[in-house]
């Protein structure tokens, strides 16, 4: 079920939003014990939203494509009066006192919020194994990870627990789980979507984006959530863009760059095959594909693992057990309160990254690590800008492998981090990137193809992805046991 | 012979900007509100909340920079200063580090009857922290109030150009005056709108290398600035004379004990881990904006005083008093608009009005007497309606009631008597009652003339016009 | 190369207001060492004269007008306090 078919049914009064929402809530109730994709199901809120949507549809006023559509929200966006955990023990009992701009925009458009989705703690992870609330399981194969950090969002969309979901992407956290769960996910240009009310991991890299089963649904979601927000001074003040306007237009004559640095030894052969077939399909659709070089690609990961933990170490200082969140019992003094609350409250991956981030910002090491990383970031950005002088978009794999098994990479952080090696450059450069399903491995695990666009060229990569999607069968496939 | 020492002082002054709202959120900045009444997701550091810069605060910082001849950085940068404290909600303070909005300025002070330039290293913007309350009932707890968190401050850092405690006070007073003239800070040290830290070191006279400095905190009044620095200079000299070394440290001034104590041990080894705040883009200040602010910059005290001397012909001493506060200078010029007698009006304001205001611990803003009224009073004297002596009584009533001088004079029948008949009658009476004095006068002791004038005026309850009394007396006696 | 040892990580942990028991300290030190050694490969990049990038996109930051607006849900902020005394957040005595 996609947004436009459901919108049609709602408009034709074939089904009410309350009925639709009840269907989805039922589906969540049945499948969530197995998948664990939701941390909180907001049943009451959802039904209230649904009733309001039905009123809107009845009156015919302010009806948008999202009116009455059940959506899920990654549990790091605030909703006034709703628990917001960020997948962390430290926020286990935190009730947000305000609503994130993107959630507000969805609600204003009439969307129905069905719940808060599981995630790696504070969005730090690529497997969803770092959630305090337990692993999310991949709907295609239960003993495999769904990807991360927006694993709950990807799994929920794939398992039809919601029509679309919000995720966030700091180093691939939308695209990688989308790829691993066989759904579409887009990380917009940095600044396209407001970050107000989105708990920060690494502020200069974080960007909110939609995840859905089709390219068109992602575009519809983006139409609602994108745009300048006076509460986020890094959001871009630009005229409104219609992200679905170019869907259906031919991609004939478009020039696509295939970065040679993304087809390396570590790339799984099944994944390589699927992506190469995807590129071949794009050629068939009339796109011209040329090899390009992004020479600093190999430095993106080390660069990211300095910049992101540095920003995170400061962003997570506010979780101190003083104004909200977990506080250690009976601290003997202030230092005890801080150190025990934080040590008890944060999981191991978050703790490790705070430690790394604190280290690289330390005055004695700042130039060697943080400043150096920022300079390398400039070079990575320049690589892309240079490439975009000759191509319209870039096609590449999303992740070197399909979803791996739980526990497979937990002992070696670098092995885990490598899972984001192809998605991180986009965040460092602030570019839009998406993942669109492009096939399966021998083990029946989904594979995604990544499309990276010029700054603000979301419409272009959506157009390409849509053309590809319409020419291939992947988006129509459902995980075993999931029925419409 | 013992070595002569010279001290080297630099001040770091924090001034709260007079914006209506906080630096990064829309909460009001009103002082003295109930605890945690001016708070929101941003200034309490809720997850997901983001700072949005207050344009007015930037404008005020630029204003302060331009008035102190600073260079304005067209792309200054906010950075995060990381440390943990219960009054700091985000675990970092948003401040400016290597790209402050203003740098390399100068403040001219009057010192030893000369103009001395104190260099400014920088002026930067930052958010204030909240307040920790230690006396709210529970003796085992402290309490956090975040009303003040995120209130906009500028920090003004002077070079090590100051050489004595008294000079530091003059610099601070001058700086305060500039900020108040600019209307960017209310200058209230008691409420903490203006706070001062001092960096102090001593060195043998003639030595060019700086000695080890200490940082003095908690200087909440001009007096404590002076005392704390004096105390510190003496302490450092004693340390050196004892053959020991001054330790670089922060010292807290205890105003009650009139001494400072080391904060070593209580203080963390600070590593603030500054880095550019990714939530805020560089602060872009266009040349156009700077020029716009420059064109609306008010005349500052020193320029105003010079103009008063030149245009109004009043003594420099008076001009400096009248320009010490912007409101007072404005008051004076308003009075002149009504009656253009600059010297006389200056005298009446300085000796009669300011004296009373000071005695009442009040400022010119509190004065009930309006500028037009003080001008009217001076005019009444000049027009011979009342005498200067009577005027001194009139102004007392004006001060208390705010009534017009004409009304007071009329109601109390204080109009001066110039009628020669009445005065002559009084003179005749006085002369008749004092034959001895008349005789003395006639024998050449002319100094008793003053006695007769006084007696006549007294007999007429002060209302006699002294000029007329003088004339008629001479006529009678000579 | 910086020597990443337990003493250094313990110091860093304290700066970040974290506290590792001995067993954890060893583990975090090893992991941090591993990552910090990995990121050292940036040294191979010549960055002479390259401006650092702090923001993903170059944009002019938005500034807001100085207009007061009270937040209408202050009680919800205070309600999250782990320890609250009246309208204050309470913490152990700070000396």
């Amino acid at each position: 079920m996609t947004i436009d078919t459901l919108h049609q049914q709602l408009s034709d009064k074939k089904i009410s939003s309350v009925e639709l929402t009840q269907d989805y809530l039922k589906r969540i109730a049945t499948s969530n014990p197995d998948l664990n994709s939701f941390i909180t199901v907001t049943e009451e809120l959802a039904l209230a939203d649904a009733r309001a949507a039905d009123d809107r549809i009845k009156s015919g006023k302010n009806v948008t494509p999202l009116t009455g559509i059940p959506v899920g929200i990654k549990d790091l966006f605030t909703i006034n009066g709703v628990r917001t955990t960020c997948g962390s023990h430290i926020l286990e009992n935190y009730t947000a006192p305000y609503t994130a701009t993107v959630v507000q925009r969805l609600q204003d458009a009439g969307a129905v919020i069905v719940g808060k989705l599981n995630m790696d703690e504070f969005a730090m992870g690529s497997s969803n194994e770092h959630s305090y609330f337990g692993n999310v399981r991949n709907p295609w194969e239960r003993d495999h990870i769904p990807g991360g950090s927006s694993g709950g969002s990807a799994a929920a969309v794939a398992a039809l627990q919601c029509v679309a979901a919000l995720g966030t992407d700091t180093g691939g956290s939308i695209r990688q789980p989308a790829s691993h769960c066989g759904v579409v996910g887009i990380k917009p240009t940095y600044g396209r979507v407001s970050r107000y009310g989105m708990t920060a991991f690494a502020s200069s890299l974080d960007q909110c984006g939609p995840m859905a089963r089709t390219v068109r649904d992602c575009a519809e979601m983006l139409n609602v959530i994108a745009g300048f927000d006076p509460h986020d001074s890094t959001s871009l003040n630009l005229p409104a863009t219609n992200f679905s306007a170019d869907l259906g237009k031919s991609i004939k004559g478009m020039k696509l760059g295939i970065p040679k640095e993304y087809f390396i030894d570590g790339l799984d052969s099944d994944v390589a095959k699927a992506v190469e077939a995807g590129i071949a399909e794009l050629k068939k659709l009339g796109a011209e594909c040329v090899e390009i070089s992004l020479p600093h690609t190999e430095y993106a990961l080390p660069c990211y693992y300095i910049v992101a933990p540095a920003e995170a170490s400061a962003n997570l200082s506010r979780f101190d057990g003083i104004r909200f969140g977990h506080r250690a019992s009976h601290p003997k003094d202030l230092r005890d309160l801080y150190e025990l609350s934080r040590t008890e409250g944060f999981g191991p991956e978050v703790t490790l990254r705070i430690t790394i981030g604190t280290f690289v910002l330390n005055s004695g090491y700042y130039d060697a690590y943080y400043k150096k990383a920022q300079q390398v970031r400039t070079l990575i950005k320049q690589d892309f800008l240079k490439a975009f002088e000759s191509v319209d978009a870039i096609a590449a794999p999303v992740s070197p492998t399909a979803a791996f098994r739980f526990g497979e990479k937990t002992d070696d952080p670098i092995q885990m981090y490598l899972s984001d090696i192809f998605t991180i450059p986009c965040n460092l450069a602030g570019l839009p990137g998406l993942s669109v399903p492009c096939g399966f491995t021998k083990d029946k695990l989904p594979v995604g193809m990544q499309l990276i666009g010029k700054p603000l060229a979301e419409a272009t990569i959506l157009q390409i992805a849509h053309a590809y999607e319409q020419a291939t069968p992947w988006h129509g496939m459902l995980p075993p046991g999931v029925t419409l | 012979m013992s070595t002569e020492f010279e001290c080297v002082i630099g001040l770091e002054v924090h001034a709260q900007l007079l914006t209506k709202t906080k630096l990064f959120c829309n909460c009001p900045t009103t002082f003295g509100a109930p605890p945690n009444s001016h708070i929101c997701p941003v200034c309490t550091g809720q997850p997901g909340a983001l700072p949005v810069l207050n344009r007015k605060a930037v404008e005020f910082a630029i204003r302060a920079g331009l008035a102190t001849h600073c260079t304005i950085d067209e792309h200054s940068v906010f950075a995060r200063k990381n440390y943990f404290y219960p009054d700091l909600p985000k675990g970092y303070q948003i401040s400016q580090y290597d790209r402050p909005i203003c740098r390399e300025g100068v403040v001219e002070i009057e010192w030893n009857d000369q103009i001395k330039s104190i260099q400014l290293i920088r002026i930067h913007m930052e958010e204030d922290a909240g307040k920790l309350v230690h006396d709210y009932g529970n003796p085992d707890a402290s309490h956090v109030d975040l009303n003040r968190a995120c209130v906009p401050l500028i920090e003004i850092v002077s070079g090590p150009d100051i050489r004595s405690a008294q000079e530091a006070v003059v610099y601070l007073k001058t700086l305060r005056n500039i900020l108040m003239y600019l209307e960017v800070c209310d200058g209230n040290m008691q409420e903490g709108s203006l706070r001062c830290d001092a960096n102090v070191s001593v060195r043998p006279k003639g030595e060019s290398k700086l000695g080890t400095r200490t940082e003095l905190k908690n200087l909440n009044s001009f007096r404590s600035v002076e005392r704390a620095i004096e105390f510190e200079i003496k302490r450092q000299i004693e340390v050196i004379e004892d053959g020991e070394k001054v330790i670089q440290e922060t010292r807290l001034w205890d105003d009650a004990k009139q001494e400072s104590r080391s904060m070593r041990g209580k203080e963390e080894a600070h590593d603030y881990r500054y880095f550019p705040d990714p939530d805020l883009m560089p602060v872009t200040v266009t040349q156009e904006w700077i020029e716009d602010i420059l064109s609306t910059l008010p005349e500052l005290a020193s320029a105003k005083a010079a103009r008063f001397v030149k245009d109004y012909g009043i003594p420099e001493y008076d001009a400096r008093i009248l320009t010490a506060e912007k409101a007072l200078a404005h008051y004076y010029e308003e009075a002149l608009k009504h009656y253009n007698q600059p010297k006389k009006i200056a005298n009446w304001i300085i000796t009669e009005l300011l004296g009373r205001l000071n005695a009442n611990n009040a400022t010119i803003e509190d004065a009930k007497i309006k500028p037009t009224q003080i001008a009217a009073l001076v005019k009444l004297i000049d027009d011979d309606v009342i005498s200067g002596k009577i005027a001194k009584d009139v102004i007392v009533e004006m001060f208390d009631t705010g009534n017009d001088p004409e009304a007071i004079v009329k109601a109390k029948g204080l109009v001066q008597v110039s009628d020669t008949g009445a005065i002559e009658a009084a003179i005749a009476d006085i002369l008749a009652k004092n034959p001895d004095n008349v005789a003395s006068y006639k024998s050449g002791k002319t100094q008793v003339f003053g006695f007769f004038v006084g007696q006549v005026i007294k007999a007429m309850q002060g209302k006699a016009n002294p000029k007329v009394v003088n004339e008629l007396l001479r006529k009678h006696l000579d | 190369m910086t020597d990443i040892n337990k003493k250094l990580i313990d110091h860093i942990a304290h700066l970040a207001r974290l506290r590792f028991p001995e067993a954890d300290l060893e583990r975090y030190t090893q992991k941090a060492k591993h990552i910090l050694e990995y990121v050292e490969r940036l040294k191979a990049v010549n960055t002479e004269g390259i401006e650092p990038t702090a923001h993903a996109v170059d944009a002019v930051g938005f500034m807001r007008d100085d207009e007061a607006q009270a937040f209408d849900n202050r009680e919800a902020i205070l309600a999250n306090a782990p320890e609250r005394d009246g309208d204050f957040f309470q913490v152990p005595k700070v000396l």
Side-chain angles (χ1 to χ4, degrees):
Chain A
M1 287 296 199
T2 60
I3 291 174
D4 50 344
T5 51
L6 289 172
H7 174 65
Q8 201 54 54
Q9 292 182 13
L10 287 163
S11 301
D12 295 347
K13 316 253 168 34
K14 287 194 177 127
I15 187 169
S16 73
S17 176
V18 169
E19 287 162 346
L20 184 65
T21 301
Q22 279 164 340
D23 278 357
Y24 275 87
L25 289 171
K26 228 175 278 164
R27 214 189 277 267
I28 294 169
T30 317
S31 57
N32 205 51
D34 178 22
L35 294 175
N36 196 31
S37 39
F38 280 83
I39 292 175
T40 305
V41 180
T42 52
E43 188 170 340
E44 264 178 57
L45 175 70
L47 290 171
D49 284 347
R51 281 190 292 273
D54 283 334
D55 288 347
R56 272 162 88 150
I57 293 164
K58 214 176 285 166
S59 73
K61 278 183 199 142
N62 300 318
V63 177
T64 79
L66 288 188
T67 305
I69 305 291
V71 298
I73 307 291
K74 186 176 182 178
D75 201 17
L76 49 52
F77 292 96
T78 59
I79 305 179
N80 186 13
V82 175
R83 180 166 80 135
T84 299
T85 71
C86 299
S88 181
H89 176 39
I90 210 161
L91 288 180
E92 191 177 359
N93 297 308
Y94 172 72
T95 302
Y98 75 112
T99 298
T101 300
V102 283
V103 175
Q104 190 62 57
R105 286 186 179 172
L106 286 173
Q107 290 188 313
D108 290 348
V112 173
I113 310 295
V114 291
K116 306 294 293 291
L117 295 157
N118 204 344
M119 55 183 283
D120 282 299
E121 184 177 5
F122 288 107
M124 296 178 191
S126 312
S127 67
N128 235 292
E129 292 168 289
H130 300 308
S131 169
Y132 175 72
F133 299 89
N135 297 342
V136 176
R137 306 217 271 176
N138 192 315
W140 294 86
E141 194 65 76
R142 296 296 190 271
D143 56 356
H144 284 64
I145 59 138
S149 65
S150 309
S153 303
V157 170
L160 305 187
Q161 293 177 317
C162 53
V163 180
L166 287 187
T168 63
D169 192 315
T170 305
S173 281
I174 287 174
R175 291 161 288 161
Q176 187 255 25
S179 169
H180 286 359
C181 290
V183 301
V184 186
I186 179 167
K187 179 204 95 72
T189 308
Y190 184 86
R192 246 318 174 193
V193 181
S194 167
R195 294 185 296 116
Y196 186 68
M198 176 176 125
T199 308
F201 160 14
S203 314
S204 80
L205 303 164
D206 296 343
Q207 189 62 197
C208 162
M211 302 169 84
R213 295 195 56 244
T214 65
V215 173
R216 185 174 291 281
D217 282 3
C218 278
E220 292 293 359
M221 287 281 283
L222 199 52
N223 280 337
V224 171
I225 61 172
F228 174 67
D229 177 11
H231 292 295
D232 175 3
S233 50
T234 62
S235 73
L236 299 167
N237 201 346
L238 299 165
T241 307
N242 182 349
F243 295 100
S244 28
D246 292 340
L247 302 185
K249 286 189 188 161
S250 164
I251 60 164
K252 209 170 169 151
M254 264 196 197
K255 212 163 164 189
L256 298 182
I258 315 299
K260 61 176 187 208
E261 291 83 1
Y262 284 55
F263 294 83
I264 47 165
D265 284 348
L267 183 62
D268 177 88
S269 60
D270 283 6
V271 172
K273 259 185 236 157
V275 174
E276 276 156 12
I279 292 168
E281 184 65 38
L282 289 170
K283 279 186 199 160
K284 253 202 285 180
L285 291 165
E288 185 192 338
C289 296
V290 292
E291 187 183 271
I292 57 163
S293 174
L294 300 167
H296 294 93
T297 300
E298 64 170 305
Y299 299 110
L301 193 63
C303 175
Y304 176 85
Y305 273 94
I306 292 171
V307 173
E311 293 183 12
S313 71
N315 282 332
L316 270 59
S317 291
R318 67 187 61 196
F319 305 105
D320 57 7
I322 289 182
R323 296 163 317 287
F324 49 76
H326 173 74
R327 180 184 285 199
S329 50
H330 314 298
K332 67 174 195 299
D333 56 20
L334 188 63
R335 182 173 161 173
D336 241 30
L337 186 153
Y338 278 130
E339 296 188 351
L340 296 178
S341 302
R342 285 167 62 78
T343 304
E344 291 167 10
F346 293 134
E349 182 64 22
V350 172
T351 302
L352 177 63
R353 296 208 201 181
I354 292 173
T355 307
I356 300 286
T358 306
F359 173 85
V360 298
L361 288 177
N362 218 265
S363 53
Y365 308 110
Y366 184 91
D367 282 1
Y369 290 92
Y370 191 70
K371 191 176 167 212
K372 182 83 180 178
Q374 284 197 317
Q375 289 174 312
V376 172
R377 188 173 179 183
T378 306
L379 294 171
I380 289 164
K381 216 170 143 179
Q382 285 171 356
D383 278 359
F384 277 107
L385 295 182
K386 193 157 166 279
F388 280 126
E389 284 171 10
S390 55
V391 298
D392 298 303
I394 291 168
V398 174
S399 186
T401 67
F404 46 88
R405 281 168 203 278
F406 287 111
E408 208 176 306
K409 296 182 178 178
T410 33
D411 289 336
D412 184 351
I414 302 292
Q415 277 310 306
M416 180 75 88
Y417 298 170
L418 280 168
S419 158
D420 295 330
I421 190 168
F422 303 139
T423 44
I424 279 172
C426 226
N427 299 80
L428 290 170
L431 300 170
L434 62 74
S435 172
V436 61
C438 71
F440 291 85
T441 63
K442 286 192 289 288
D443 299 331
K444 304 272 188 299
L445 288 163
V447 178
M449 174 167 62
Q450 183 174 210
L451 294 167
I452 300 169
K454 295 177 184 180
L456 303 175
E458 290 86 355
T460 306
I461 55 173
L462 287 166
Q463 180 193 345
I464 299 167
H466 181 75
Y468 173 78
E469 176 191 74
Q470 295 305 307
T472 54
W474 319 118
H475 67 284
M477 298 194 171
L478 288 169
V482 176
T483 48
L484 286 173
Chain B
M1 210 190 94
S2 68
T3 325
E4 249 199 272
F5 285 94
E6 156 182 82
C7 70
V8 177
I9 302 162
L11 295 190
E12 290 172 13
V13 177
H14 286 91
Q16 183 184 328
L17 298 177
L18 274 173
T19 54
K20 289 196 209 78
T21 67
K22 295 186 179 182
L23 186 53
F24 297 118
C25 65
N26 293 97
C27 288
T29 51
T30 337
F31 180 80
N36 290 311
S37 54
H38 297 327
I39 58 169
C40 77
V42 177
C43 58
T44 57
Q46 300 293 316
L50 295 171
V52 181
L53 183 57
N54 183 338
R55 187 189 287 104
K56 200 74 180 174
V58 179
E59 187 192 316
F60 282 179
I62 297 171
R63 228 194 259 185
L66 291 174
T68 52
H69 315 286
C70 287
T71 307
I72 310 297
D73 193 328
E74 292 181 28
H75 298 285
S76 67
V77 173
F78 278 105
R80 293 181 180 180
K81 179 182 181 179
N82 296 285
Y83 66 96
F84 288 88
Y85 207 65
D87 64 6
L88 191 70
K90 297 184 293 296
Y92 57 84
Q93 178 194 29
I94 304 178
S95 180
Q96 295 193 302
Y97 183 53
D98 54 0
R99 293 285 297 268
I101 187 153
C102 315
R103 61 178 106 209
E104 287 164 6
V106 63
V107 170
E108 291 185 334
I109 63 166
E110 287 198 21
W111 182 244
N112 290 337
D113 293 326
Q114 287 192 324
I115 300 291
K116 176 173 173 180
S117 293
I118 306 294
Q119 302 300 315
L120 295 188
I121 297 170
R122 58 190 280 153
I123 301 177
H124 72 249
M125 298 179 273
E126 63 185 27
E127 59 179 341
D128 206 347
K131 199 171 71 177
L132 260 185
V133 178
H134 302 290
D135 52 2
Y136 185 72
N138 188 342
D140 300 325
S142 296
H143 294 85
V144 185
D145 174 8
L146 297 176
N147 282 343
R148 208 180 62 190
C150 201
V151 159
L153 304 176
I154 47 173
E155 180 175 334
I156 303 157
V157 183
S158 86
D161 297 345
I162 299 164
R163 292 288 174 272
S164 75
Q166 294 74 24
E167 192 185 331
V169 170
V170 171
Y171 163 75
L172 187 58
K173 282 186 171 166
T174 309
L175 187 61
R176 175 175 179 268
N177 180 274
I178 291 171
L179 297 173
M180 289 171 70
Y181 255 82
L182 295 171
E183 290 172 357
V184 301
C185 176
D186 68 15
N188 190 329
M189 292 184 82
Q190 272 154 9
E191 288 178 5
S193 310
L194 198 74
R195 308 197 280 267
C196 178
D197 300 337
N199 291 307
V200 180
S201 65
V202 299
R203 62 183 172 193
K205 239 186 181 141
E207 171 70 59
S208 60
K209 228 179 82 196
L210 290 170
T212 306
R213 69 185 166 89
T214 56
E215 189 181 2
L216 304 177
K217 286 194 179 287
N218 199 30
L219 313 179
N220 299 328
S221 64
F222 292 120
R223 214 182 59 127
S224 59
V225 168
E226 187 170 346
R227 296 283 172 84
I229 293 174
E230 276 172 351
F231 179 90
E232 183 58 17
I233 294 168
K234 202 165 147 251
R235 192 192 68 84
Q236 289 191 11
I237 292 174
E238 279 170 14
V239 167
I240 294 168
E241 284 177 339
D242 287 350
E244 286 168 31
K245 279 188 175 154
V246 173
I247 300 161
Q248 184 163 345
E249 61 182 355
T250 302
R251 298 182 67 87
L252 198 69
W253 176 247
D254 186 330
D255 213 35
K257 292 188 181 154
Q258 292 284 298
E259 61 180 39
S260 66
R261 61 172 187 274
S262 173
M263 287 176 76
R264 246 175 314 139
K266 294 200 172 182
E267 206 182 5
E268 296 287 338
H270 277 312
D271 184 337
Y272 290 127
R273 288 162 281 132
Y274 281 102
F275 74 104
D277 190 335
D279 288 333
L280 293 156
M281 305 306 283
V283 184
T284 306
V285 178
T286 60
Q287 207 52 45
E288 198 184 348
W289 195 16
I290 294 174
E291 273 159 30
D292 206 42
I293 295 170
L294 202 53
S295 71
T296 57
L297 219 54
E299 180 184 41
L300 295 181
S302 53
K304 210 181 269 282
R307 179 167 65 80
F308 282 10
V309 171
K310 185 167 157 281
D311 291 1
Y312 303 140
I314 58 173
E316 206 183 303
Y317 179 80
D318 290 4
R320 231 175 295 145
I321 293 175
L322 290 171
T323 54
E325 275 176 60
K326 191 180 188 179
L328 179 60
H330 180 72
Y331 185 99
Y332 173 63
E333 292 202 285
E334 280 302 303
L336 292 190
K337 276 187 203 161
H338 194 66
Y339 186 52
N340 192 18
Q341 284 293 334
K343 285 185 193 172
K344 289 179 186 161
I345 289 182
N347 279 339
W348 277 90
I349 290 176
I350 292 168
T351 56
E352 296 299 325
L353 180 58
L354 286 186
R356 284 202 169 71
L357 287 170
N358 287 339
N360 284 283
N361 245 330
T363 66
I364 191 73
E365 281 100 340
D366 306 320
K368 287 186 183 158
I369 305 176
K370 293 185 186 70
T372 51
Q373 292 174 317
I374 205 156
L377 180 72
V378 174
K379 191 163 186 300
L380 286 177
I381 305 165
D382 285 357
D383 291 350
D384 286 337
V385 178
I386 55 172
S387 67
K389 191 171 180 301
I390 290 288
K392 286 188 182 183
D393 296 334
V394 173
I395 201 169
V396 173
E397 186 161 346
M398 289 167 71
F399 187 85
D400 292 337
T401 64
N403 289 342
D404 284 342
E406 295 90 342
I408 295 168
V409 166
K410 201 174 158 199
K412 298 212 157 172
L414 298 175
V415 177
Q416 188 163 253
V417 178
S418 301
D419 167 31
T420 50
I423 293 172
E424 285 204 50
I427 288 174
D429 187 43
I430 293 295
L431 294 185
K433 281 183 183 155
N434 295 283
D436 294 358
N437 285 325
V438 176
S440 300
Y441 182 85
K442 299 232 164 155
S443 71
K445 290 187 176 165
T446 51
Q447 60 266 43
V448 295
F449 187 76
F451 164 78
F452 291 123
V453 174
Q455 288 298 307
V456 172
I457 289 177
K458 193 180 167 195
M460 298 188 70
Q461 290 102 47
K463 287 185 276 183
N465 181 338
K467 235 166 37 189
V468 181
V469 172
N470 267 287
E471 274 168 29
L472 292 177
L473 254 176
R474 277 189 207 288
K475 207 175 78 190
H476 277 269
L477 287 168
D478 295 340
Chain C
M1 192 179 288
T2 314
D3 178 26
I4 311 294
N5 53 44
K6 286 200 280 189
K7 189 165 171 271
L8 179 62
I9 295 301
D10 192 50
H11 167 69
I12 294 293
H14 175 59
L15 274 179
R17 293 296 181 275
L18 297 166
R19 188 184 295 176
F20 303 147
E22 184 57 30
D24 289 352
L25 180 61
E26 175 66 40
R27 194 160 42 88
Y28 282 117
T29 303
Q30 283 317 314
K31 286 201 174 184
K33 192 176 162 74
H34 190 36
I35 294 165
L36 289 167
E37 280 171 7
Y38 172 75
V39 301
E40 292 254 339
R41 64 182 60 192
L42 289 190
K43 285 207 171 123
V45 187
N46 180 4
T47 51
E48 213 182 300
I50 303 293
E51 280 295 313
T53 293
H55 297 279
V57 293
D58 305 312
V60 175
F62 174 70
M63 290 186 229
R64 63 184 174 81
D65 293 335
D66 186 29
E67 281 161 17
Q69 195 184 3
F71 178 63
D72 58 10
N73 204 14
R74 142 187 189 275
E75 180 51 38
I77 291 178
L78 292 168
N80 273 311
E83 267 190 89
R84 176 181 173 175
D85 189 354
D87 281 345
F88 286 108
F89 300 101
Q90 184 170 302
V91 295
K93 189 80 175 174
V94 180
L95 298 170

